[in-house]
Amino acid sequence: MTVLTEIPEKWFPVVLPIKKKKKAGFGGGKSKKKRTEEERRVKANDREHNEKFQYASNCIVTSKYNILTFLPVNLFEQFQEVANTYFLFLLILQLIPQISSLSWFTTIVPLALVLSITAVKDATDDYFRHKSDNQVNNRQSQVLIRGSLQNEKWMNVKVGDVIKLENNQFVAADLLLLSSTEPHGLCYIETAELDGETNMKVRQSVSVTAELGDPNNLASFDGEVVCEPPNNKLDRFCGTLYWREKKYPLTNQNMLLRGCVLRNTEACFGLVIFAGPDTKLMQNSGRTKFKRTSIDRLMNTLVLWIFGFLVCMGVILAVGNAVWEREVGSLFQSYLPWDPPVDNFLFSAFLSFWSYIIILNTVVPISLYVSVEVIRLGHSYFINWDRQMFCSRCNTAAESRTTTLNEELGQVEYIFSDKTGTLTQNIMTFNKCSINGQTYGEVTDPVGKQPKRLDFTPFNPLANPDFCFYDEKLLESVKVGDLHTHEFFRLLSLCHTVMSEEKSEGELVYKAQSPDEGALVTAARNFGFVFRSRTPGTITTTEMGRTVTYSLLAILDFNNIRKRMSVIVRNPEGRICLYCKGADTVLLERLHPCNQELMSITSDHLNEYGADGLRTLALAYRELSEDEWEAWSESHRCADKATDCREDRLAAAYDKIEQDMKLLGATAIEDKLQEGVPETIALLSLANIKVWVLTGDKQETAVNIGYSCKMLTDDMTEVFIIGGHTVQSVRQELRSARERMMELSRGKTEGMEAWAEACFMGNGMKDGQEGDCTTGRGSKQLHCSSLPPSASGDMDSISGEFALIISGHSLAHALEADMEAEFVSTACACKAVICCRVTPLQKAQVVELIKKHKKAVTLAIGDGANDVSMIKSAHIGVGISGQEGIQAVLASDYSFAQFRFLQRLLLVHGRWSYLRMCRFLCYFFYKNFAFTMVHFWFGFFCGFSAQDVPDHRSLEYPKLYEPGQLNLLFNKKEFFICITQGIYTSVVLFFVPYAVLSNATQSNGVPLADYQTFAVTTATALVIVVSVQIALDTGFWTVFNHMFVWGSVGCYFTIMFALHSQTLFRIFPNQFRFIGSAQNTLLQPVVWLTIALATAICVVPVLAFRFLKLDLKPQLSDTVRHTQLVRQKRRKPAGRSIGGAWRGTGSVSEGRLGARGGSRRSGYAFSHQEGFGELITSGKNMRLSSLALANFASKHSSSWIETLRRKKTNHTPPSTSGECSPAPSNVSGTGPALSNSSSVLGGSQETPIEEETDAAVVLSSSSHPAASEPAEPRAPAQVAPADSSTSAAARTDSPGGWTRSLETVQEALFGRRGCASASSTQDSPCVATETPPPY
Amino acid sequence: MGKTKDKSGPLARRPDNSAFKQQRLPAWSPMLTANTVLPFFYLLAVVCMLLGVWLLLLVQSTQEIKLDYTDLGNCNECFDLRRNVSNAAQACSCRVEFSIDKSLKGDVFFYYGLKNFHQNLRRYMDSRDDGQTLGRIKILKNPSTYCAPFDKDKYGVPIAPCGAVANSMFNDSFSLTYHLSSGRSVPVPLLRTGLTWYTDKNVKFRNPRTDNLTLAEVFEGTRPPLYWQTPVYSLDPRDPNNNGFINEDLIVWMREAAFPNFKKLYGILNRADPNFEKGLPKGNYSIDISYNFPVQHFQGRKGVVLTTLTWFGGQNHFLPIAYLVTSSLILLAAVVLTVAWWKFGKDGKNMKE
């Protein structure tokens, strides 16, 4: 250890000049973008110094107003709304006496009402934002101030503070890890909030600070960090620590980002680098945008149109007025002289234009907006009140956090879902296993009888009480002492990289790198093979109560190519045994061929598990003789020490020993989905909603989940995987995928020949024209390969089920401007799309892309902070509530506890909201165009009246959802129909009374043709017609409908009589001059005859059309209602007992989830990373205290590092290695080994966007590190030196040769995969895209 | 939203299970099926038909006599005289003769009618002060600006009643004479009250409180509208109770017509007179007209109407005919619908899911 500290001096002087130069080079470019901050300088424990820079504090503000700014800001915002401005304009007009035709309070009262209601709503929203801000800002954290730890609120944490974090705490700001309680300054974090990945990640402090340890030392720490300005790249950090005259490069590997949770680490200290809004988490959350629904936009357009219409009417009437005033009015002047300012008919016309604008403004009544808001509010309450969206487990009801988007829920076409925490519970359970051809374990069936959960405690005091297993046979088998079973669990207890911690006797805590592995080891523990502890050279277990210590000879570590891991152990008896677990595909071919029968049985079991969506692993073992071991160990050592192609050689060595194994069985792990996820997805897809999964997780995990939640199925025509690293390869892959789709769907319709023929013809002509046969082939190729894209317009017509899986780095290319369209057309032709390894920003980009290109309503659902940007950019954001993080919920528009509630939210509430809103709007415009005195109640009751199909039926018939997506119920056409109907009604309502009354008299001879009688008659007729209309529109007559329909008619009469009463007239004679009109008019039979006639004329055509439409071309909702009625009738005699029947048929796929064989998705620890093996054998991550053989460990460890150093100095190429410090202390081994190598080797296949871009950067010029800024040339340059230590470390694994090996691997993979996919198409050769189909 | 009191435990926040909140209110869900719609249409057609026929019969039983006297006979001279505004003060009367072929039985109503007079202009209708005609003393002398320019004369004296409506009051007067076959002439008595809505006469229009003053004294300090020849307190020289704002001619005029062609009630045949007990017998009649109201400016016409009534008002052919037409259209629609249903949609053929 002591050796290491010297090394930095040696290396850093070389490193840093280069770094500085490069930094300056691109610093200039950067400064254009961010003038404010070019680099950040933070000095630890020196607040005065840091204050100079005025960095943002750790206080986050998501609220919009405070008490003082509320009124002006809010009013300003509100008047940005067209409608509000319009009414303000009207109000101003009405204040001009010459043109005010209505008194000014008719506008100001509703306007004030609208403004204040909205203001109150905004204020409440903001209040809650304040509250949640406060809650976050007031979280406590321990800050080191003047040498002592003090509790401070989060918001008071300053840049440059050193803060202490404890286990399971959220990280308060972006920290530079200084030291931790774990050895070597390691600490574990979970970044689920950030990127959705749930496996543990390791962070390590720079070695010099790691030694600081306790607060006293840290208080005197005065290092200065110079680093990049705040940005949103989660996976990159570069900076330098200057301390005691030395410089240390800092990478993302040293950072703890806000939003992470500290796990498995007692405590750690960190230096705040970015705080509050500067943190990467906050930088990643997009701006809050005000969301509008499409109906809103349509409504605004329509209002504008209506306004245009109004202006037209105004103009027509003004012209009429001009003509009239000239022809008649001028003659009439003796009785009615023009007003003083009016001296000619033109001016009068001008004034009358404005007067008409005011009078006719009821066509665009302000009550429209109020009513819409009220209806939405009502719907929001219904969502909040829905018991079926209540999660009793976490005691969380659904909540609609915005009230403005409800009807858009009925129009969703695309759902973008996060995976972890949303689709899955992020719990792995050991679900089934197959041991020696015998399968154990049952799927827990929520419907059927609950099988008995096994109780392990009497049998095994060390058992984990949380573990569930339901098959007694297995326990019996263990108890009986079945050898295979014992060996099976022994394997599970030995072959892993889990670390254990035993706080007190029997209280074991496993630190598993991936939850899969944890589940397996826990299973072994419960079945009596308890993994107790390990040292670099031993594993101690308790087997059936007996403590056994195995000596660990070798760990043959996992990586993504090997897809397996093995351990070689020597048991106390001296027997050497190799235990291997891995993907069945790789494992089964390494078995000894002696027991084919067992293999085929196990294989069947694996198929079965795979079909159930479980992650499977096959287990095998092999006994080794001492000689074999010796021989292999020698060759292994050779390979290990090899200088070039180390990885390859190691792999070859591993491969050599992992042969002729005996199959033990298989395990099946369930990545527990949230309840009801597959059913929900199936239902949603029946409703023609496309679900895309966007996850930060690895491709395999994502695909696996895709299968288990039935997004991907085995009967899919084809699943395309886009994993290219370069623009060209991605384009190529997309193109070939599309061609393949075309081909397959053409193949079905036999359009294939036609296409080929056309292709041939085209070429023939071309050849003929050119008269050059030699170019024929070339041109043919050109021609035909260009044909499919040109036919991409037909992408919609593609039949067949396809799926697309694209990884983050390919997505980065696919999202570039010139490929967008291609990507969208390919992806949208697929039934399922899974994007893995995507960054939060990419999630948002994908959503934006669909919004832009498909003009469809999108919904994003997620639970973590990494989903926030997506949630914000989608039309509708849904947050999963009831879990730890609340960022997603805070950013969301709706929140509930479980994914499955989505179906109810969309198919029931969304549909109803949409339907009601549409009916309401139609009705409203109808009513207004029927020239009405507006009554608020119409709007209001109609909001509750348009329920058409009972909720369970909407779930039963997801197709009912489609009208919303197609926007069928309220669009411009419907609007015009409404308007036409409205105008028709108004014509009838005007001319019928006109014709009747102009001649009629009361029975006492008083003429009825006076203005007031006419007004009362028309208004009454209008109310009655409109009420009849609403009655016709009402599908479900509940108490409320009756109440409101009858109530509104009643109200009308009451109010009319009140307004026409003597009392009011006596008080305001000039305002209420209609006194007595009501009673005088309504007592006349002729008036009622008129009203009846008008009603009949208005309603009969509507009724006839509706009937015809229903009878001849019923919509699905009508038929559903019809059958519902029929069923109800039938059910009545039978009693309510059948009531449950439909419920059964209601949920689409209950019971067994398509128990079909075929797909096996071996899930070896998909969230697993390579490198832990080495970490363990090196003893690096073990506590000194827990090292029984400290001596051995230190020896081993130092020797290991010695090897590293030796390799480094000897073999790294000067240009790069020179600058690198093996930085023994800060070292290498862990950081890079943990993740780099896997990604490096994963290469093309494994989609490495990792949190450490260094690997990708060093990788090759062809691969770009992160997606967020794909075309940034400086990235590699900057990162390379900054991350020198880690990249150097990466090289330690395979100095010199690794690049080449990587290339070969990559090449091999690409080539092989290309061929594989191509050959699976059968009729096209390897390079399918370049050659025409051979016809 | 489940702010339920005193609940705790895992279900504390569970929303209430009320039918309303869960949107499960019992509902009646009517559907437009053939069973309901078609019968309804036929029924409606029949009802309209019956109403139409009945109304038509009623209307046939009424009688109406219309007479445009604008420039009829010797009214022509008056018509010419009134062409010039400066002659407004000159009295002019004329006589119009007509005969009734079939006696008008029952109550007979005497209307005057105007054509092309726009009482429905917005500014015209607004140009009145209901506070003044309600008899508010304060407003009497200080009429609303809505009345402008007829609120005060050029000397600033307030006008009562103010406004364009009152100013333009119809001021022809009529007396009807029955010429018996014997050559004797009998004046036909007309009731000049009871022409208005009860509310108008008793609520809407009141004279200012007199307090032992005569009406003329109350109106002191105001002047009649510019075009009036008599002040408002002496509109009806024969009946002192029919003067001031409660003068029925004024009230009738102030109830603005909705359309430019209108008629207003002038008087009702007083059947107390033994000659006219059963209405107006057939024979020759003449109307003596005090021809004051000029109609040339606005190219209008004026006339009188004599009519009898049934329970639902005067002669009105539109309503029964409209009912009949509607009825036949509904019937047609019903037949079409029946055919359509029979051919295409019977037995819910299209209702299969």
Side-chain angles (χ1 to χ4, degrees), chain B residues 148-208:
Chain B
F150 301 107
D151 52 345
K152 287 168 186 171
D153 69 2
K154 55 190 169 190
Y155 307 110
V157 182
I159 294 171
C162 76
V165 187
N167 188 50
S168 59
M169 192 173 104
F170 185 78
N171 53 0
D172 285 5
S173 55
F174 311 93
S175 54
L176 188 61
T177 314
Y178 175 44
H179 302 283
L180 295 167
S181 49
S182 61
R184 196 164 64 95
S185 295
V186 180
V188 179
L190 289 179
L191 291 173
R192 301 279 281 118
T193 51
L195 313 176
T196 63
W197 291 4
Y198 173 84
T199 46
D200 282 359
K201 175 89 179 172
N202 296 292
V203 182
K204 196 171 178 182
F205 291 87
R206 310 295 310 145
N207 277 324

Side-chain angles (χ1 to χ4, degrees), chain A residues 331 334 385 387-388 395 916 957 994 1001 1005 1009-1011 1037 1040 1066 1070 1073 1080 1089 1111 1121 1123, chain B residues 10 13-15 22-25 28 30 111 130 136 197 204 227 255-256 258-259 297 314 323 350 353:
Chain A
L331 307 174
S334 53
W385 284 333
R387 268 166 97 89
Q388 291 180 45
N395 190 17
R916 288 168 179 174
Y957 294 93
Y994 168 74
T1001 60
D1010 69 292
Y1011 165 75
W1037 281 86
F1040 287 89
R1066 289 229 169 89
N1070 277 321
R1073 55 176 64 146
N1080 276 297
L1089 285 172
D1111 203 40
R1121 268 179 73 191
T1123 48
Chain B
R13 268 178 270 158
R14 181 150 77 163
Q22 301 307 319
Q23 304 193 64
R24 295 192 180 287
L25 289 170
W28 169 59
Y111 299 88
D130 288 304
R136 297 271 155 90
W197 291 4
K204 196 171 178 182
Y227 294 180
R255 178 153 290 282
E256 301 109 336
F259 313 106
H297 323 294
Y323 265 108
N350 295 321
E353 284 165 39

Side-chain angles (χ1 to χ4, degrees), chain A residues 1150-1194:
Chain A
E1150 267 177 5
R1152 232 170 128 64
L1153 308 171
R1156 295 174 345 86
S1159 76
R1160 256 191 259 162
R1161 286 163 301 280
S1162 130
Y1164 181 19
F1166 282 138
S1167 45
H1168 212 73
Q1169 286 169 332
E1170 187 184 6
F1172 259 67
E1174 202 150 6
L1175 204 60
I1176 286 167
T1177 45
S1178 74
K1180 274 233 82 180
N1181 63 343
M1182 293 186 195
R1183 257 165 222 289
L1184 283 171
S1185 60
S1186 72
L1187 287 177
L1189 303 164
N1191 193 20
F1192 165 78
S1194 67

Side-chain angles (χ1 to χ4, degrees), chain A residues 770-782:
Chain A
E770 288 178 3
D772 184 0
C773 292
T774 51
T775 59
R777 181 154 177 78
S779 68
K780 189 182 274 181
Q781 277 183 4
L782 267 173

Side-chain angles (χ1 to χ4, degrees), chain A residues 224-353:
Chain A
E224 185 174 15
V225 173
V226 179
C227 66
E228 61 190 9
N231 59 48
N232 59 12
K233 290 173 204 140
L234 290 177
D235 48 7
R236 186 189 309 172
F237 175 81
C238 75
T240 318
L241 171 66
Y242 294 83
W243 190 41
R244 292 184 184 158
E245 314 291 306
K246 285 177 205 158
K247 301 169 184 177
Y248 309 88
L250 303 175
T251 69
N252 193 45
Q253 196 57 38
N254 312 111
M255 296 296 289
L256 304 176
L257 300 183
R258 182 173 180 144
C260 299
V261 184
L262 196 65
R263 298 278 188 217
N264 289 349
T265 311
E266 252 172 46
C268 73
F269 287 91
L271 169 68
V272 179
I273 305 285
F274 300 124
D278 289 343
T279 55
K280 305 220 172 197
L281 177 72
M282 297 304 286
Q283 294 267 322
N284 249 304
S285 50
R287 277 171 291 109
T288 318
K289 271 183 282 179
F290 184 67
K291 290 181 181 176
R292 284 175 175 289
T293 64
S294 53
I295 293 233
D296 260 333
R297 285 187 293 270
L298 180 60
M299 217 157 72
N300 278 344
T301 329
L302 295 182
V303 165
L304 278 180
W305 285 8
I306 293 173
F307 185 72
F309 177 76
L310 195 70
V311 171
C312 286
M313 291 209 299
V315 167
I316 292 170
L317 291 167
V319 168
N321 178 273
V323 173
W324 189 90
E325 287 287 352
R326 204 170 78 106
E327 299 293 321
V328 185
S330 55
L331 307 174
F332 206 66
Q333 278 210 49
S334 53
Y335 295 123
L336 186 68
W338 283 329
D339 278 337
V342 184
D343 47 5
N344 62 38
F345 63 93
L346 285 177
F347 192 60
S348 154
F350 174 75
L351 288 185
S352 79
F353 170 76

Side-chain angles (χ1 to χ4, degrees), chain A residues 498-539:
Chain A
V498 173
M499 304 292 293
S500 78
E501 198 173 326
E502 201 160 354
K503 290 257 165 66
S504 61
E505 178 67 26
E507 200 186 309
L508 278 168
V509 179
Y510 289 144
K511 292 180 195 173
Q513 206 218 139
S514 68
D516 302 48
E517 212 167 43
L520 290 176
V521 180
T522 308
R525 168 181 170 180
N526 278 37
F527 283 103
F529 289 78
V530 189
F531 165 66
R532 296 295 285 268
S533 66
R534 68 158 81 238
T535 69
T538 61
I539 296 174

